[in-house]
Amino acid sequence: MRLECIECGSRFKIHERFYTCPKCEGLLEVEFEPSELKRKLDRKRLKTDQPSVWKYRAFMPILDESKIVSLGEGGTPLYRCDRLAKEVGVRELYVKFEGANPTGSFKDRGMTVGITKALEFGAKTVACASTGNTSASLAAYAAKAGLRCVVLLPRGKVALGKLAQTLVYGAQAVAVRGNFDEALDMVRKLCEARKDIYLLNSLNPFRLQGQKSIGFEIADQLGWEVPDRVVVPMGNCANIWAIYKGFFEFDAVGLTRGIPKMTGIQAEGAKPIVDAIKRGADKFEPVERPETIATAIRIGNPVNGPKAIRAIRASKGTAESVSDQEIIKAQKLMARLEGIGVEPASASTIAGLKKLVRKSAIKRDESIVCVATGHMLKDPEEAIKVSERPRKSGRIKI
Ligand SMILES: *Cc1c(COP(=O)(O)O)cnc(C)c1O
Ligand SMILES: [Zn+2]
């Protein structure tokens, strides 16, 4: 295992505590030697154990397994959705329901690895900036590990469920005047000045490794086959890369064959990566004032943008943007046709898929997995606002 810069290719030892490349500030990634991985794999147990993040521990950059901090993350359901498939117009559709994680979003898959690394590095305090789910997850895992936790949140912009979790798990929350991108700048500066604080934003190369397990589980749950396409909402763009990397590594060690077309969805008011993909550009232009009802992807300057562009290009995928109205409609469809309650960012995947099928950019005979990143109860205010009011008693119509 080693750290490698995705821009200049410089390699570093796995126990270095860098967040970005010390030579060119490029993004870092953990790379494995496939031959070494193959040797470490217990193929028999891979076929029999239940899916979970730590089932795939050979792929996790952990040096001291006695330090693992877990709340039982991963192992989320992969629902086959025939009613929704018919509505969207595709043959085979699945939803990977990440709302079933311990704090209700996929962020827990990254945090179990990230907090374990924080313990390996001997940190006493961890920090992040967050639109809500990262802070909820970090706060829970820091509590379990006995670490202090500082989170920077954009003031007045965090969904209620996420804020409630962050506070009850005991994080020190700071409301920042500004949006997520500005909060992230602040926490990066804080962690540069105070080396005793370990930064667990999606810039952190170790955290992302845990999120590869979404890709591992999809393949595992489909009987060690990969779907034609995986659709993921893009905010800071860590997840689409991590899922791609998961399929890439399974392919590299021969557990599965091929990589699904990675398809990223953003909201119309925050779509820097969609614009770059549509222009065929390698670089993206940050969006100054991102706006959308889907607060988890309300991000104008995604730190992992370069990784998302690579994942989409390398897998021959695509990207699309959707309006808030389309997101709300998709949120209700998922709930009313399949009984799956998701927050708006997650519903953007179904909205985007629908749009791409309508435009004939996706063939109807594909097998497709949409990643529903977070639980509906994360944002109860939004859910109530877009729903019909309860009727007065005595007016029940059946
Ligand atoms: C974090 C998050 C996203 C965006 O993931 P990125 O890795 O930042 O692209 C999408 N949906 C939910 C529910 C999230 O919590
Ligand atoms: Zn570099």
Side-chain angles (χ1 to χ4, degrees):
M1 275 184 294
R2 60 180 186 273
L3 284 168
E4 198 169 309
C5 172
I6 71 159
E7 300 294 345
C8 75
S10 298
R11 294 175 169 197
F12 307 96
K13 293 224 165 68
I14 193 72
H15 17 261
E16 295 287 4
R17 202 183 135 161
F18 303 139
Y19 303 114
T20 53
C21 174
K23 291 193 180 146
C24 77
E25 303 221 322
L27 296 169
L28 294 174
E29 180 54 31
V30 177
E31 298 294 349
F32 295 79
E33 247 356 290
S35 56
E36 205 176 300
L37 256 179
K38 277 185 186 164
R39 209 157 6 90
K40 266 171 74 182
L41 282 182
D42 184 342
R43 283 170 197 264
K44 216 164 161 189
R45 286 196 62 183
L46 270 177
K47 303 278 155 133
T48 53
D49 286 7
Q50 288 301 310
S52 78
V53 171
W54 294 104
K55 173 176 177 179
Y56 318 101
R57 69 177 65 194
F59 297 86
M60 299 301 159
I62 297 300
L63 306 175
D64 179 357
E65 293 202 357
S66 73
K67 293 211 159 61
I68 291 175
V69 179
S70 173
L71 290 168
E73 50 292 320
T76 57
L78 182 70
Y79 295 122
R80 174 140 188 174
C81 297
D82 289 339
R83 300 210 320 135
L84 197 54
K86 210 165 165 193
E87 168 72 29
V88 171
V90 294
R91 175 176 62 91
E92 197 178 338
L93 177 62
Y94 302 84
V95 169
K96 180 76 171 147
F97 183 53
E98 289 297 295
N101 276 295
T103 77
S105 85
F106 73 84
K107 299 296 196 300
D108 296 341
R109 296 178 183 270
M111 284 310 171
T112 182
V113 175
I115 284 284
T116 301
K117 289 310 281 187
L119 291 183
E120 282 189 359
F121 287 128
K124 296 279 177 271
T125 306
V126 289
C128 73
S130 175
T131 65
N133 279 336
T134 299
S135 61
S137 183
L138 183 62
Y141 283 83
K144 174 85 177 169
L147 298 175
R148 274 192 302 267
C149 176
V150 180
V151 305
L152 277 67
L153 305 169
R155 191 159 79 185
K157 295 290 185 192
V158 178
L160 268 192
K162 306 177 187 185
L163 182 60
Q165 288 178 298
T166 305
L167 298 176
V168 173
Y169 290 131
Q172 208 182 113
V174 182
V176 173
R177 203 189 306 247
N179 59 27
F180 169 83
D181 300 300
E182 288 156 320
L184 180 58
D185 275 346
M186 281 179 68
V187 81
R188 282 180 77 168
K189 288 197 184 106
L190 172 72
C191 293
E192 262 160 44
R194 290 274 311 266
K195 301 287 183 214
D196 54 324
I197 307 179
Y198 190 56
L199 178 62
L200 273 168
N201 264 103
S202 56
L203 207 58
N204 184 302
F206 298 114
R207 219 190 94 188
L208 302 200
Q209 304 308 307
Q211 293 171 206
K212 293 186 302 196
S213 60
I214 298 177
F216 296 155
E217 285 186 12
I218 289 171
D220 192 334
Q221 290 168 314
L222 291 176
W224 303 93
E225 296 278 344
V226 302
D228 295 321
R229 186 180 299 272
V230 174
V231 188
V232 189
M234 296 190 294
N236 245 323
C237 295
N239 209 29
I240 190 166
W241 166 263
I243 297 171
Y244 163 77
K245 195 72 194 313
F247 287 113
F248 183 90
E249 289 179 357
F250 260 21
D251 179 87
V253 298
L255 280 169
T256 51
R257 214 178 290 158
I259 294 172
K261 296 182 175 73
M262 300 305 299
T263 301
I265 310 296
Q266 292 188 304
E268 265 170 17
K271 58 174 175 71
I273 304 304
V274 174
D275 286 341
I277 292 291
K278 289 193 173 175
R279 278 203 317 273
D282 288 329
K283 291 221 157 59
F284 66 92
E285 300 285 336
V287 170
E288 200 70 49
R289 279 185 195 74
E291 254 328 319
T292 166
I293 193 171
T295 51
I297 52 172
R298 189 171 175 270
I299 290 170
N301 189 13
V303 291
N304 287 296
K307 283 184 171 175
I309 293 173
R310 276 164 206 241
I312 292 168
R313 291 258 158 76
S315 66
K316 302 192 168 56
T318 187
E320 188 53 89
S321 62
V322 289
S323 70
D324 283 0
Q325 279 316 310
E326 289 170 308
I327 289 174
I328 291 165
K329 211 172 152 198
Q331 184 187 31
K332 289 184 181 168
L333 281 175
M334 293 173 82
R336 294 171 189 193
L337 292 179
E338 301 289 349
I340 304 174
V342 303
E343 65 169 285
S346 313
S348 74
T349 57
I350 292 294
L353 176 60
K354 228 177 143 183
K355 198 164 184 174
L356 287 165
V357 171
R358 208 181 325 121
K359 285 176 154 180
S360 301
I362 290 182
K363 290 199 224 91
R364 289 172 184 272
D365 66 349
E366 289 186 14
S367 62
I368 298 170
V369 176
C370 287
V371 181
T373 45
H375 201 287
M376 176 177 54
L377 294 177
K378 291 284 193 174
D379 197 348
E381 283 185 309
E382 180 274 343
I384 292 168
K385 212 180 291 165
V386 303
S387 298
E388 303 73 12
R389 304 225 154 171
R391 289 203 185 88
K392 287 200 178 114
S393 61
R395 297 237 193 140
I396 298 168
K397 276 189 238 156
I398 294 173

